[in-house]
Amino acid sequence: MRQGLVAAALAAVAVTGCSAPPAPTAPPAPSETPVATARDASAAADPAGPVLTFADARLAATADGLAPPAYPVRTNPDGTWLTKDAEDWTAGFLPAALWRVFERTQDPVWRDRAERWQAPLASETTHDDTDLGFKMFMTFAVDHQLTGDESAKQTALAAADTLAARFNPTVGLIRVWDDRDDAEKYQVNIDAMMNLELLYWAGQNGRPQYTDIANRHAQRTMTDLVRPDGSTSMFGGYDQRTGALQRTYTMQGFKDDSTWARGQAWAIYGFATAYRYTQDPRYLETAHRTADWFTGHLPPDRVPYWDFDVPQAPPEPRDTSAAAIASSALLELSQLDPARAAGDVDAARGMLTSLSSPEYLSRNTPFRSILIHGTQNLPEGQQDSGIMFGDYYFVEALNRWERQVGPSAQLG
């Protein structure tokens, strides 16, 4: 039903700034399709070529149809993008995705797009209460890595300075989302592992002291937020006067002792990244342990529900963004630990195959995202939509697949 050429799909969803799309038919909830069946469906769904061709076209339509600083966050019920300004923690994901396409294609058109969407984020270097790693590493630091641009490097380093200032040596962690004047309220989430690459990179680029901050944060997160069985808690609450852990809890998961799917994916990715920069075997072991827990609790089609402790069946919503993040992390792990590479690649293949199928790809729908059926924050009613960060990690994972394994067409 969702078959057809990329051009036909784009005609249905071209981003036009202010005109409304046709009233959509909501995509059906995905079924419990076994992976083998999903692979067959994916092959039939992509006659025009690799899924990356479709993904690139979707990103181009978004980048050229909207204008910064209106950053796409997630899709509205009619399939259009809900946008927010540069202060939002998600603002970096569109320019980050554009940089990844430039990395793969070396086409200057994509560099121009990335630079245009990245530019309004430059003022975010001193924004204290946000996820600067997401916003500034994957834009300005990656810009410097790909182009050698010195001003981009300095912007990323300025952001690292702000992030490092949030570190409390008594607690040994980087604070998130709280009032620094409240001595008994010091919150840290598993997501913050994704900020550490900005500090590790800065440690290699003139800020060596930031490597120690990143390591201290990773080590305490490993102790406090990763459970013995490899599952994770979303949040730890600390007394910043003593550094004592007071409780673990959730804000976006099902309950305080459940395992929120995207948080588990952040853990896999964050600890794999920490190992890449440090070669500390504790980080590799933790990345594998959290990955094994994630893949061992997936439903038959390999795309998780939003929390692993809710009933693993409809009408509970899926979270395609968690699958995309975990897929990219597993492909990273396959490069870091050759002894387990085959298993990590196979686990990534299962998830990417399902994500590339008609169940989860937005082809021939009015949705302007690449993926559908993502859950950003269910307690706040943000579920069953396309999500820009899900699209970013899907493109990153497909890039890694093509670089490390073979053409993404093989995912069909």
Side-chain angles (χ1 to χ4, degrees):
M1 181 176 179
R2 294 183 190 168
Q3 298 176 9
L5 297 176
V6 170
L10 284 176
V13 300
V15 179
T16 57
C18 60
S19 60
T25 300
S31 61
E32 288 282 358
T33 309
V35 171
T37 304
R39 288 178 185 174
D40 295 341
S42 180
D46 197 21
V51 176
L52 271 170
T53 303
F54 172 73
D56 289 356
R58 271 292 199 269
L59 286 174
T62 294
D64 296 345
L66 298 175
Y71 290 93
V73 179
R74 61 183 176 274
T75 54
N76 293 305
D78 66 358
T80 61
W81 283 113
L82 170 74
T83 63
K84 294 194 175 182
D85 63 23
E87 291 189 353
D88 194 75
W89 74 273
T90 65
F93 287 108
L94 175 59
L98 301 174
W99 278 120
R100 291 306 178 198
V101 182
F102 171 72
E103 177 185 32
R104 172 168 34 87
T105 66
Q106 295 298 299
D107 184 339
V109 171
W110 289 99
R111 177 176 178 173
D112 291 344
R113 287 182 176 124
E115 289 175 340
R116 179 166 61 90
W117 277 94
Q118 172 180 281
L121 300 178
S123 62
E124 288 291 292
T125 56
T126 58
H127 185 177
D128 183 52
D129 188 15
T130 191
D131 287 297
L132 285 171
F134 284 126
K135 192 180 295 186
M136 308 302 279
F137 177 79
M138 297 188 306
T139 53
F140 292 96
V142 169
D143 177 357
H144 176 257
Q145 290 176 333
L146 297 178
T147 72
D149 185 280
E150 184 62 25
S151 65
K153 175 182 178 180
Q154 294 307 315
T155 299
L157 288 173
D161 293 340
T162 299
L163 178 61
R166 295 179 66 82
F167 179 75
N168 181 319
T170 300
V171 182
L173 291 160
I174 299 164
R175 187 187 76 258
V176 301
W177 300 358
D178 59 5
D179 182 355
R180 69 175 72 223
D181 296 325
D182 186 342
E184 295 183 354
K185 187 178 182 183
Y186 195 98
Q187 299 183 106
V188 179
N189 58 13
I190 194 70
D191 317 38
M193 284 298 301
M194 300 297 289
N195 285 319
L196 298 189
E197 187 162 15
L198 179 61
L199 297 182
Y200 282 126
W201 170 85
Q204 296 178 344
N205 287 275
R207 307 284 198 276
Q209 69 274 24
Y210 293 172
T211 297
D212 179 63
I213 291 175
N215 279 329
R216 290 190 61 187
H217 182 100
Q219 288 160 17
R220 183 140 200 201
T221 300
M222 186 168 54
T223 299
D224 293 350
L225 298 186
V226 180
R227 303 178 184 124
D229 66 355
S231 64
T232 56
S233 299
M234 183 183 181
F235 266 97
Y238 297 84
D239 186 330
Q240 63 182 320
R241 298 167 303 185
T242 66
L245 174 67
Q246 298 174 316
R247 65 187 181 113
T248 57
Y249 58 101
T250 193
M251 286 188 179
Q252 292 175 236
F254 174 56
K255 57 182 180 176
D256 286 345
D257 61 352
S258 70
T259 303
W260 175 51
R262 194 164 75 248
Q264 190 73 17
W266 291 143
I268 304 165
Y269 197 116
F271 283 106
T273 300
Y275 177 73
R276 172 160 50 85
Y277 277 90
T278 67
Q279 300 298 295
D280 186 327
R282 294 174 296 178
Y283 300 151
L284 182 63
E285 187 276 334
T286 303
H288 278 312
R289 191 154 48 93
T290 53
D292 289 347
W293 196 98
F294 186 99
T295 58
H297 290 78
L298 289 173
D301 74 351
R302 318 309 289 164
V303 176
Y305 290 86
W306 69 283
D307 189 291
F308 285 102
D309 287 81
V310 300
Q312 300 293 285
E316 295 291 344
R318 304 298 187 106
D319 185 10
T320 50
S321 74
I325 294 159
S327 297
S328 190
L330 284 161
L331 290 172
E332 172 86 329
L333 274 173
S334 75
Q335 299 293 290
L336 298 174
D337 187 357
R340 290 191 40 159
D344 290 336
V345 168
D346 191 59
R349 177 187 289 110
M351 285 184 278
L352 289 175
T353 294
S354 275
L355 292 177
S356 301
S357 76
E359 297 276 9
Y360 298 107
L361 204 65
S362 70
R363 189 193 302 278
N364 287 350
T365 79
F367 289 82
R368 296 172 180 177
S369 56
I370 300 167
L371 296 176
I372 52 178
H373 298 307
T375 296
Q376 183 171 352
N377 187 338
L378 186 139
E380 293 190 3
Q382 300 166 7
Q383 74 267 2
D384 205 22
S385 71
I387 304 175
M388 189 66 239
F389 56 76
D391 288 357
Y392 168 79
Y393 286 103
F394 185 54
V395 168
E396 182 185 78
L398 292 174
N399 276 12
R400 285 176 167 170
W401 182 274
E402 293 225 332
R403 188 167 60 244
Q404 298 167 201
V405 183
S408 60
Q410 294 177 358
L411 292 167

